[in-house]
Amino acid sequence: MTTAPDKNIIVTNQPTREQLEKIYDILDECFSVGRVFFQERLDLDSTYDPETTWFAMVDGEIAANVQIFPLSIRVGQAILKTGAMGSVGTAPNYRGMGLTHKILHAQTDYMKETNYDISLLLASKHAFYEKVGWELIPETAYAIEKQASFEQQSSYDIVPFEPRYLDDIRFIYEQFNQNRTYTVVRNEAYWNDLINWPEWKKADCLLLRRNKKIVAYGMIEKKDTEQVFINEFMYLNEAVDGVEHLFHALCQLRPSAKQILAMLPEDHKLYSFYQQHQAQSIPINQAMWKMINLHSTFEKLQPELEHRLNVNSLMADQELYIALQCGEDHIYLDYKQKRLSVSNVSHAESYVEVEADERNLITYLMFGYNAAGRAKDSAEQAAILQALFPKQQAVFYLTDKF
């Protein structure tokens, strides 16, 4: 619990049901989607823990709220515990008092105490969140003009999603995203909840079927606008030649759309299709990140980083002693005989000093190190960073928005 006696402000968590209803009322005032949107997200979450709902009270009245949505996000084979920050709202009469910042500071302490590794929020007011430590990391969407027609492929059927197909698309999701950085680990409970959450309901889902087997699925947002996003699109290797068929079927659901947008890793079949159709790159300035616990993050990354060093032709047979500094935090990476250890303390006589601020380090984690624009890194430092953080075919699916 955090207090500010001069203003009689209390920041806490674990609301009662009555307090939670008041929080929904505040969010209803702040957002056009209405209270049902926020209420369904928590009420239909079988893993919801009231500890993750934080709010500020002024003179005993609930005045502001920020929700933590715990996500497990992949970095290769590693899984990082991620605090996804959402449902940020302040009642109109209490704005300008710094209540949201007070909540976010308290939540940062809470996440450090409860073994979170990193935090992610999606925002347009970047300067507001930068004041409390979150940093914007731009991403790229691609847009193409909607195609007028397409040739039917008789070997495939298009069918609408029904709950009976949930196991099929869950299998496709797991196959497609195995070790894919930035994707959310969706266990059975998450999937069962997900299809009832507001973000799922804001999209249409179509499936690609061949020989009575579901081999791909895609989701397109429900918007009667000129620009429409593909929220996610996944397929089995055996369905590569049917990807365009499913894509065009999704486009047909949006007759008013002129452009179809998607966030696509370069190894996605649709990426090459988009490039063939003169895709326009569109910067997406929304995802903001914060490092919560550097040491726990790298402890979880240890098997992945060890593997990366072992398969790197320049580094595999070397002994490396790396002192990584991020802000005020240090960790030490000792690599010898193809084994990597992570420690808070040094064990060797000399280390290669590598420095990265939070924004750059999380960029390396999610997307990989890019030496371009990093002139201050020496050749040795750049080679180490390139080995530890090679380019990732990373993507975050809009269905997991919070």
Side-chain angles (χ1 to χ4, degrees), residues 228-240:
V228 180
F229 257 100
I230 298 287
N231 284 2
E232 59 183 82
F233 194 118
M234 274 154 266
Y235 52 89
L236 300 178
N237 288 337
E238 65 194 76
V240 167

Side-chain angles (χ1 to χ4, degrees), residues 110-219:
Y110 164 81
M111 287 189 285
K112 289 178 179 177
E113 294 166 1
T114 50
N115 302 315
Y116 284 79
D117 304 302
I118 54 177
S119 178
L120 168 66
L121 61 83
L122 307 176
S124 57
K125 298 179 180 179
H126 307 137
F128 179 83
Y129 294 102
E130 285 170 354
K131 292 177 181 177
V132 279
W134 277 263
E135 296 283 351
L136 174 69
I137 298 179
E139 299 176 39
T140 301
Y142 300 96
I144 60 171
E145 299 300 313
K146 189 175 74 171
Q147 307 300 298
S149 62
F150 66 99
E151 183 179 346
Q152 295 281 350
Q153 295 191 31
S154 58
S155 60
Y156 290 102
D157 297 318
I158 300 293
V159 295
F161 171 78
E162 297 176 22
R164 64 192 175 103
Y165 295 120
L166 185 58
D167 286 343
D168 296 292
I169 68 171
R170 182 182 172 195
F171 175 76
I172 294 168
Y173 182 92
E174 290 302 318
Q175 292 297 305
F176 193 81
N177 295 304
Q178 187 176 29
N179 297 337
R180 183 180 294 279
T181 296
Y182 203 1
T183 57
V184 172
V185 177
R186 298 178 182 173
N187 59 23
E188 184 176 0
Y190 189 97
W191 271 108
N192 289 332
D193 295 339
L194 178 65
I195 62 173
N196 296 304
W197 287 345
E199 287 299 332
W200 181 275
K201 296 175 184 178
K202 287 164 62 178
D204 285 316
C205 181
L206 294 180
L207 316 179
L208 189 68
R209 183 172 61 190
R210 182 168 62 186
N211 299 328
K212 298 182 180 181
K213 178 182 178 181
I214 303 301
V215 292
Y217 76 94
M219 299 181 68

Side-chain angles (χ1 to χ4, degrees), residues 273-285:
F273 176 81
Y274 266 59
Q275 299 311 306
Q276 291 166 11
H277 289 81
Q278 293 78 50
Q280 174 188 357
S281 297
I282 299 176
I284 303 295
N285 296 317

Side-chain angles (χ1 to χ4, degrees), residues 261-277:
L261 286 72
M263 311 279 280
L264 296 168
E266 293 180 11
D267 65 343
H268 198 293
K269 177 65 175 176
L270 275 184
Y271 179 85
S272 58
F273 176 81
Y274 266 59
Q275 299 311 306
Q276 291 166 11
H277 289 81

